[in-house]
Amino acid sequence: MSLRSDPFNGLSAFLAAAAAGSFTAAAARLGVSPAAVSQAVKSLEEKLGTTLFIRTTRRVGLTEAGATLLARTAPAAAEIIAAVEDVASVREPSGLLRLTVPRMAVALVIEPVVPAMRRAYPRVAVEVAVEDATVDLSARGFDAGIRIGEYVERDMVAVRLSRDITWAVVASPEYLAARGRPEAPLDLAGHEAIRYRFPNSGALYRWEFERDGRNFSVEPPGSLVVNDGALLVSWARAGLGLAYVADIAVEAELRAGQVVRVLERYLPTTPGLFLYFPRRAQTQPKLRAFIDLARQILRMGR
């Protein structure tokens, strides 16, 4: 079969390079040399008569044609992989389970569940990408993701992993001793806030409150900005300002007295952490094994 008559020739290399943003990383994932990936992509580009990647010394990025091809082929490729894995893993879970998780889920979910997963199912390899930005699972080659419930797309299957979140404004005792306690959200104008910037949109998060059934938001002043939840908590613990965080992300710090909650009567409660994935993926043994272990270890009901 010629290259032109085989529509799948080079697609594996293309999809891996697109997901990894690097021929070297794609080669490691596929178990081949970087040169083999580069040659496969080059052959695909010659077959299609167009350039799929913009190559630099550090990274490869998709051209418009490459982005179009990825959008059309990634979901189909995920479906094919899922079908093959279903047939190959009927009796025992196996294969690579790729997860995208936010920083707060590392200690709450990943650290307790993945070691148990490896002990119970040694044929399942696990890759975890820690990132707070929202992710297209199919385009990036992930089997599932973990996010706060309100950020999970409605067409996804969602499995609860944590209790609901009550949001919290926290600061160190030292900060509050020096600057005083805000008694209402409007008092934040006289304080220093540690601000969070959304990784995808680049927008600064406006702190959300509620009172007497009314929701409102405040944009507090602050000279520190971060897009990482762990660093946000660390800076609050160090006394650099007030931070707006999920209560489940600062449970240890609250118990130890390293940070203190303020403005409690104004803070809303929202859905907690959920594992989410496309409906077609829910029959994969490796994913079902992860879900069952997570429910058992985290004691979340069905």
Side-chain angles (χ1 to χ4, degrees):
M1 182 179 290
S2 69
L3 276 176
R4 186 166 298 277
S5 63
D6 181 3
F8 296 101
N9 195 290
L11 272 179
S12 293
F14 166 75
L15 291 169
S22 160
F23 285 172
T24 301
R29 183 173 299 171
L30 295 174
V32 298
S33 68
V37 172
S38 179
Q39 183 57 48
V41 170
K42 182 179 179 182
S43 297
L44 180 61
E45 289 176 326
E46 290 174 351
K47 179 174 66 173
L48 298 176
T50 187
T51 301
L52 300 175
F53 289 101
I54 300 171
R55 297 160 171 84
T56 68
T57 55
R58 293 188 176 183
R59 186 173 176 83
V60 293
L62 290 169
T63 63
E64 183 177 356
T68 299
L69 181 62
L70 178 64
R72 295 288 301 275
T73 58
E79 184 73 26
I80 292 171
I81 291 171
V84 171
E85 289 185 346
D86 282 352
V87 172
S89 307
V90 171
R91 295 184 178 179
E92 182 180 353
S94 63
L96 173 63
L97 179 67
R98 300 189 70 236
L99 304 172
T100 168
V101 308
R103 181 73 60 182
M104 78 166 70
V106 173
L108 293 170
V109 180
I110 297 303
E111 288 182 355
V113 176
V114 169
M117 181 83 176
R118 290 292 297 151
R119 289 191 294 269
Y121 304 103
R123 292 181 61 195
V124 177
V126 180
E127 179 179 342
V128 176
V130 181
E131 49 194 334
D132 289 330
T134 54
V135 170
D136 184 327
L137 297 182
S138 295
R140 294 277 302 278
F142 289 108
D143 296 291
I146 298 175
R147 292 294 183 273
I148 293 174
E150 60 186 301
Y151 297 117
V152 175
E153 297 175 14
R154 294 190 177 184
D155 61 343
M156 293 284 174
V157 177
V159 177
R160 178 180 287 274
L161 296 177
S162 81
R163 61 171 174 80
D164 285 346
I165 290 168
T166 297
W167 292 90
V169 176
V170 300
S172 70
E174 294 77 15
Y175 173 89
L176 296 176
R179 300 289 296 268
R181 294 174 66 98
E183 299 298 331
L186 291 180
D187 295 340
L188 293 172
H191 281 267
E192 177 75 14
I194 305 168
R195 305 293 304 278
Y196 179 80
R197 190 181 297 281
F198 287 106
N200 278 356
S201 68
L204 285 172
Y205 178 66
R206 291 176 61 90
W207 291 10
E208 299 176 68
F209 299 97
E210 61 182 24
R211 186 63 172 168
D212 299 326
R214 182 176 65 90
N215 298 320
F216 61 98
S217 62
V218 172
E219 186 160 352
S223 54
L224 289 175
V225 178
V226 66
N227 68 353
D228 179 81
L231 187 54
L232 186 76
V233 172
S234 175
W235 282 349
R237 192 172 61 237
L240 300 183
L242 296 160
Y244 189 105
V245 296
D247 63 344
I248 60 176
V250 288
E251 285 182 334
E253 289 80 4
L254 288 168
R255 284 196 302 269
Q258 295 172 325
V259 296
V260 178
R261 298 177 72 155
V262 297
L263 302 176
E264 291 184 68
R265 59 179 175 165
Y266 295 96
L267 275 301
T269 297
T270 60
L273 290 171
F274 285 78
L275 180 78
Y276 70 100
F277 45 87
R279 191 167 301 277
R280 64 176 180 271
Q282 62 186 329
T283 59
Q284 294 185 55
K286 62 183 181 182
L287 184 56
R288 294 304 315 173
F290 183 88
I291 292 170
D292 291 342
L293 274 176
R295 280 175 164 160
Q296 176 185 342
I297 293 168
L298 305 176
R299 301 187 182 279
M300 299 308 301
R302 296 178 183 273

